[in-house]
Amino acid sequence: MGKSSRNQCHRVIPILYEDALNHKYKKEKRTAKDAKDTEKKVKKVWRRLTKKWYKHSTIQTEFSTTVNVILKPQQIARAFSELRCTFDGRSIIPDVSVFTWGRIPRDEKGEVANTFLIAPDWTIEILSPDQSQTKVTKNILRCLNFGTQMGWLIDPNEQTVFVYLPKQQPEVFDEPQQKLPVPSFANELNLSVASVFGWLLE
């Protein structure tokens, strides 16, 4: 996409779809062809922004549910989906963040806080087809440098789970019968490669 196209897209993204098609740029005289081209670009951007990756969503939902059904009632840990974690001057939003019970930030009422200024105890990323594996891996490694006990990178297309531990080589799990390692606080979870990707068959 050229510089001109990028600038147009940046202008229309914040605008509601219905309005975007009729949006008029003050300093431009648009011909019928210009209007048609702009409409195509708007539709293309809108499709990209609203695209849903169902494998990603399924694994994210099932993983969070599994953690919360087994560990949350005992006040061991809790899983959060798409939670913004801010530390070392930057924010990341893992697909799933798992916090041990005592590390969950709370406000003066004892409720879960609106702001999490620490890294999760366990960070889980689920690779979508349009995501950069390098960027996702960097987020996991950054968490490990700030107290995270373990990171998972789940690749649905390759049916593979990469497991990251502080100051260790990542491990690859791609055989269905392989049991997946979990942090010590989550030992009650019994997850294998087959069970994680089996969620896609349910």
Side-chain angles (χ1 to χ4, degrees):
M1 186 182 289
K3 182 176 180 182
S4 175
S5 297
R6 286 198 302 270
N7 289 339
Q8 286 180 332
C9 290
H10 289 160
R11 285 185 235 176
V12 300
I13 287 174
I15 301 171
L16 291 175
Y17 178 68
E18 293 81 0
D19 295 335
L21 295 180
N22 298 319
H23 185 58
K24 299 184 182 299
Y25 300 110
K26 294 181 180 179
K27 296 183 179 181
E28 294 182 25
K29 292 182 179 180
R30 303 195 314 173
T31 64
K33 183 178 183 303
D34 292 333
K36 188 173 182 179
D37 288 345
T38 299
E39 180 177 344
K40 287 181 179 178
K41 290 169 186 174
V42 169
K43 287 182 177 179
K44 184 177 180 181
V45 171
W46 189 259
R47 284 196 299 270
R48 190 176 75 241
L49 290 174
T50 57
K51 185 181 293 183
K52 294 183 183 296
W53 301 112
Y54 293 104
K55 291 185 179 183
H56 178 289
S57 180
T58 298
I59 293 174
Q60 181 183 42
T61 300
E62 294 294 334
F63 185 91
S64 297
T65 300
T66 298
V67 170
N68 287 334
V69 165
I70 296 175
L71 302 182
K72 182 184 168 189
Q74 303 177 67
Q75 298 188 353
I76 294 173
R78 182 174 185 174
F80 299 84
S81 296
E82 306 288 344
L83 176 72
R84 180 179 297 275
C85 300
T86 303
F87 51 93
D88 192 38
R90 290 176 55 193
S91 295
I92 61 167
I93 306 177
D95 291 314
V96 181
S97 301
V98 181
F99 284 81
T100 53
W101 201 261
R103 292 187 72 244
I104 297 174
R106 299 187 179 275
D107 60 20
E108 62 278 1
K109 297 179 182 178
E111 298 175 351
V112 176
N114 281 322
T115 304
F116 280 57
L117 301 179
I118 54 175
D121 293 287
W122 187 7
T123 181
I124 295 88
E125 297 283 5
I126 305 159
L127 200 64
S128 296
D130 63 344
Q131 268 188 314
S132 163
Q133 185 167 345
T134 299
K135 183 177 180 180
V136 174
T137 301
K138 284 181 177 179
N139 285 341
I140 293 174
L141 296 177
R142 184 164 174 268
C143 285
L144 293 176
N145 287 333
F146 285 88
T148 296
Q149 298 179 33
M150 182 177 289
W152 276 17
L153 172 55
I154 301 172
D155 186 338
N157 286 341
E158 297 294 331
Q159 300 257 310
T160 299
V161 179
F162 298 87
V163 176
Y164 297 82
L165 292 167
K167 299 179 181 180
Q168 293 186 31
Q169 287 283 93
E171 295 184 73
V172 180
F173 295 83
D174 55 6
E175 297 294 333
Q177 72 279 6
Q178 285 180 297
K179 185 175 180 179
L180 293 166
V182 297
S184 58
F185 65 82
N187 279 337
E188 292 188 33
L189 298 179
N190 186 18
L191 297 172
S192 66
V193 174
S195 65
V196 168
F197 295 111
W199 291 328
L200 299 175
L201 299 172
E202 296 175 358

